[in-house]
Amino acid sequence: MDTGEARLEGLITFTSDFGTSEEWVGVVKGVILSINPRAVVVDLSHEIPPFDIGKGALVLAAALPHLPVGVHLAVVDPGVGTRRLAVALQCRRGDFLVGPDNGLLLPAAERLGGVTRAFFLENSDFFRRPVHPTFHARDIFAPVAAHLSLGVDPSEMGMPMDAEDLAPAPWGRAKEGEGAVYATVIDVDRFGSLRLNAYPEQVEGLGHRRGDRVIVGLGEGEMEFVLASTFGEVEAGSPLLFEDSSGVMALGVSGGSLSARTGSRPGDTVIIYGPAAR
């Protein structure tokens, strides 16, 4: 389909929690190139914390809208070897996402226009054989991604699925009500800022504008944050509420780590109050 988006022929991105000290990343890329020698393989990250589906989902959702249309292989798979499904998803923008059915792929799929087709990967003609029970990235996902990059339709790889039957995403959109946004910390970045499942329009909907001082419920207490566009707009050591480069709202400290200051972690509840709620 012609989506009007930039397209790079043979593009396959690869994201995992494999790290780079073992042979796993190189082996997966080698399998891809053995099937499609002309593939362009782009590593997004292999430093996702082990088994951290939420972090992997955020990395994909943050990165993929900025890349050309292509095939996106992602493996953060604590359920490898169990009855969890292996899937390929086609998105409205034209991309394919390949990986385990554990919610990892869904936030990125949403950013790419939503899932238009989903398939359960079951045709072993497109797998390496034998399939090792602990290395589906090498034996199932990599070969499937390579074949998709060559133009094979995913309908040849397995039965179609209803997108509503896919495992849920690790986090949804923050709730709104009673003059506040009820959010969740979905990630702590390397600088100690707290990424939230809240979006700029939700904060604007409360009536806040740039430069406002915003009361935020965090942990068992409350803190005041300045709604800002960048860290340089507040004094060093001052808290700020800002739109992260990934497109979600975040809480941080200029020149410091909010996570270290507050002990906040992924999964914690955050309440962003509107002016009328205080």
Side-chain angles (χ1 to χ4, degrees):
M1 76 176 66
D2 182 5
T3 64
E5 300 286 346
R7 182 183 297 273
L8 180 61
E9 196 69 29
L11 172 67
I12 301 176
T13 71
F14 183 21
T15 304
S16 76
D17 59 351
F18 292 168
T20 55
S21 63
E22 313 290 348
E23 75 277 10
W24 303 320
V25 170
V27 167
V28 169
K29 293 166 74 171
V31 168
I32 290 171
L33 294 172
S34 71
I35 296 169
N36 182 2
R38 303 174 74 88
V40 177
V41 184
V42 175
D43 297 295
L44 292 185
S45 175
H46 299 297
E47 300 302 329
I48 306 300
F51 319 122
D52 192 341
I53 295 170
K55 178 70 172 185
L58 180 61
V59 166
L60 288 172
L64 296 190
H66 305 288
L67 275 66
V69 175
V71 178
H72 308 294
L73 167 63
V75 187
V76 181
D77 194 15
V80 64
T82 70
R83 297 184 66 181
R84 71 97 184 90
L85 301 181
V87 295
L89 312 180
Q90 185 170 9
C91 300
R92 191 167 305 281
R93 197 181 75 157
D95 305 79
F96 291 102
L97 304 181
V98 179
D101 178 31
N102 58 11
L104 173 69
L105 308 177
L106 289 186
E110 185 66 24
R111 293 278 184 95
L112 298 177
V115 177
T116 57
R117 296 195 297 165
F119 296 89
F120 162 47
L121 303 177
E122 59 181 345
N123 185 350
S124 61
D125 288 346
F126 294 97
F127 303 166
R128 286 184 79 253
R129 287 182 271 184
V131 173
H132 195 281
T134 68
F135 206 176
H136 287 184
R138 179 192 67 192
D139 297 338
I140 297 177
F141 299 129
V144 164
H147 285 292
L148 288 172
S149 75
L150 289 170
V152 177
D153 193 87
S155 61
E156 298 185 33
M157 301 176 181
M159 295 294 293
M161 300 174 58
D162 191 322
E164 294 183 357
D165 293 332
L166 294 166
W171 33 264
R173 188 179 177 90
K175 304 299 183 183
E176 303 170 41
E178 300 180 354
V181 172
Y182 299 84
T184 301
V185 178
I186 58 175
D187 181 51
V188 176
D189 72 16
R190 65 178 292 129
F191 297 105
S193 296
L194 313 181
R195 287 164 155 172
L196 310 177
N197 64 336
Y199 295 86
E201 63 270 19
Q202 293 182 292
V203 174
E204 293 173 4
L206 293 174
H208 289 303
R209 297 296 180 264
R210 179 177 168 183
D212 287 355
R213 296 186 177 276
V214 181
I215 301 299
V216 176
L218 189 61
E220 298 182 357
E222 295 179 349
M223 289 180 62
E224 185 178 79
F225 292 79
V226 175
L227 181 59
S229 298
T230 182
F231 289 84
E233 293 180 4
V234 302
E235 296 181 359
S238 297
L240 70 156
L241 171 65
F242 63 101
E243 181 184 353
D244 181 78
S245 62
S246 65
V248 300
M249 296 304 295
L251 300 169
V253 171
S254 180
S257 168
L258 182 62
S259 175
R261 181 182 294 189
T262 63
S264 300
R265 303 176 61 185
D268 288 355
T269 298
V270 170
I271 305 173
I272 305 171
Y273 293 101
R278 306 307 300 159

